[in-house]
Amino acid sequence: MSLKLKAVLRDHGIEQIDLANAVAYSQATISQLLCHAIWPRSAKQRGLHDAIRAFLKGRGITDQEIATAFEKLAPTPLGVRADTNTVHEDVEPMSIPKQILHPNTRRHFKLVRDPFDEVTDAAEFYQNEHIRFTRAAMLDAARRGGFLAVVGESGSGKTTLRRDLQERIEREQLPIQVIRPYVIGMEANDVKGATLKAAHIAEAIMTAVAPHASLRASHEARFRQVETALRESYHTGMRSVLLIEEAHALPLATLRHLKRFIELEDGFKRLLSVILLGQPELAVKLNPRNASVREVVQRCELITLPPLGHYLEEYVAHRLHQVEVDIKTVITADGLQAVRERLEPQVPRGHEQRSYLYPLAVHNLMIAAMNLAAENGAPCVSADIVMEVSWAR
């Protein structure tokens, strides 16, 4: 909640520090007033109000502009443009640039490091019921020859789950070999970039399972070579899981070819597990109505990672706890509610309601709000500060 006065100063090229000097208040105090409509407690509001009016008149501001300068402005929801007040799908919180926690912010909140940095230890890994289920499903698929697709928005935690699976396999010394084929610049077709083909998957399997073997020339001979290598590895007690990230970029042909890989068997036992990680476009490709991949869809379990929802406070508290800081010293209850409102904005009737309440978006909004609070000398992040955050570069 800001004052229209902020826009008046900007439109006339007047710096906040000029106003601060003119009315004999600190720049931080004036910033709190302009950005959050917070008047200094130590002064009479009317006296400061009159001093600002006099300053504006002396700078040639019209009486009409001065009359409306102290009106409060409601913040514009993310995904809505202030000039039209209409929803634009190209203005989304999920696409905001990464926010950096300023050194002064760390000092202000007594943080030894950025609490929203990447997870580097299993103890830091946040788990709610959805994450625990997905985590267990991924390990089960890797152990028993399952075929699983994990779908989630950018920043929903897919990469963290992949790291957790690999770290858990190594930590618990499980007899599971992770195979991660990839192509630099992978795209769904060869016009935009390079596609991941069945041949690339076969090469990745052979490199992991039988690194010293020479690949056969023909596709059929190479596929039989893959089957033999996987069977020999299986008989030694080693399981193999094919883990493909950015799977939404897989062409439909490669998705169809995965059927041949998951059908590699030794009796009743599958020789290869397959786990796909991708954005919502992957779920579209795995639609049962899509006849071209129907046989694959019938064999694939699909898990969609939901937004944080009512776990928001628990999640933020968990991340702050990793740096031994209580959530109440960083953000107020109404501040958390404002985070929810900004990442789950109300949209006009007829538009699709979407939630952006995923970890990465929460990180960016929290860091930006904490930086703003520290800059203005606020003791913690309030709803007004959260609503004042702008995603403009």
Side-chain angles (χ1 to χ4, degrees), residues 66-373:
I66 294 175
T68 60
F70 297 95
E71 294 179 359
K72 293 182 180 180
L73 294 175
T76 302
L78 295 180
V80 178
R81 288 190 177 166
D83 57 345
T84 62
N85 202 36
T86 57
V87 173
H88 289 257
E89 293 184 359
D90 60 331
V91 185
E92 294 189 352
M94 299 302 294
S95 62
I96 62 177
K98 178 177 173 61
Q99 302 293 302
I100 304 298
L101 195 70
H102 300 160
N104 185 55
T105 303
R106 287 176 50 191
R107 289 191 292 271
H108 182 78
F109 289 104
K110 299 179 175 60
L111 302 170
V112 294
R113 59 180 172 82
D114 183 352
F116 301 108
D117 207 350
E118 289 187 356
V119 173
T120 57
D121 186 87
E124 300 176 5
F125 185 31
Y126 169 77
Q127 298 182 56
N128 56 35
E129 59 178 325
H130 304 297
I131 297 297
R132 280 191 290 271
F133 173 78
T134 306
R135 183 173 181 259
M138 290 175 66
L139 182 60
D140 182 66
R143 278 174 162 161
R144 66 176 178 82
F147 185 18
L148 176 67
V150 178
V151 172
E153 293 280 0
S154 175
S156 60
K158 299 185 299 296
T159 299
T160 303
L161 281 164
R162 187 266 299 167
R163 290 171 177 164
D164 171 71
L165 176 64
Q166 289 187 271
E167 197 274 343
R168 188 175 180 184
I169 290 172
E170 183 177 346
R171 184 180 69 252
E172 298 180 11
Q173 298 182 332
L174 301 176
I176 301 173
Q177 186 166 228
V178 178
I179 303 166
R180 294 177 60 200
Y182 66 92
V183 172
I184 296 176
M186 187 170 76
E187 294 287 351
N189 59 68
D190 290 316
V191 176
K192 294 182 178 181
T195 56
L196 180 66
K197 299 180 173 65
H200 297 136
I201 294 174
E203 291 172 6
I205 293 172
M206 289 301 298
T207 299
V209 178
H212 302 296
S214 299
L215 292 174
R216 303 290 171 80
S218 72
H219 293 301
E220 189 64 28
R222 185 176 298 180
F223 190 76
R224 292 187 182 280
Q225 186 182 19
V226 166
E227 182 178 17
T228 299
L230 284 172
R231 182 174 289 109
E232 291 176 352
S233 178
Y234 183 85
H235 287 167
T236 67
M238 182 64 68
R239 303 294 180 262
S240 298
V241 55
L242 179 68
L243 200 157
I244 302 178
E245 292 187 270
E246 305 298 325
H248 54 273
L250 287 175
L252 292 179
T254 302
L255 284 173
R256 288 196 302 270
H257 294 157
L258 286 177
K259 178 176 177 289
R260 291 198 66 187
F261 287 100
I262 62 176
E263 289 178 342
L264 295 175
E265 298 172 342
D266 184 51
F268 288 103
K269 305 297 184 181
R270 285 184 179 176
L271 298 176
L272 184 68
S273 305
V274 177
I275 299 177
L276 307 178
L277 301 171
Q279 295 184 24
E281 294 87 343
L282 176 60
V284 175
K285 290 184 176 181
L286 293 176
N287 191 321
R289 297 180 181 178
N290 189 342
S292 64
V293 293
R294 187 175 298 155
E295 291 187 342
V296 174
V297 174
Q298 291 172 347
R299 292 165 171 79
C300 180
E301 178 185 1
L302 179 66
I303 296 177
T304 300
L305 297 176
L308 286 169
H310 64 273
Y311 292 106
L312 172 63
E313 181 176 359
E314 181 180 288
Y315 177 76
V316 174
H318 171 83
R319 296 307 298 255
L320 291 170
H321 179 71
Q322 303 310 307
V323 293
E324 301 180 351
V325 170
D326 191 317
I327 186 174
K328 294 179 181 178
T329 66
V330 175
I331 186 168
T332 62
D334 69 328
L336 280 168
Q337 181 58 31
V339 170
R340 184 184 304 279
E341 291 175 3
R342 292 212 67 179
L343 296 178
E344 291 184 331
Q346 294 297 315
V347 297
R349 183 176 299 177
H351 292 272
E352 180 184 0
Q353 181 70 50
R354 294 184 65 185
S355 173
Y356 303 95
L357 204 62
Y358 293 97
L360 183 59
V362 171
H363 295 176
N364 285 323
L365 181 52
M366 281 293 301
I367 291 173
M370 290 165 68
N371 284 338
L372 187 56

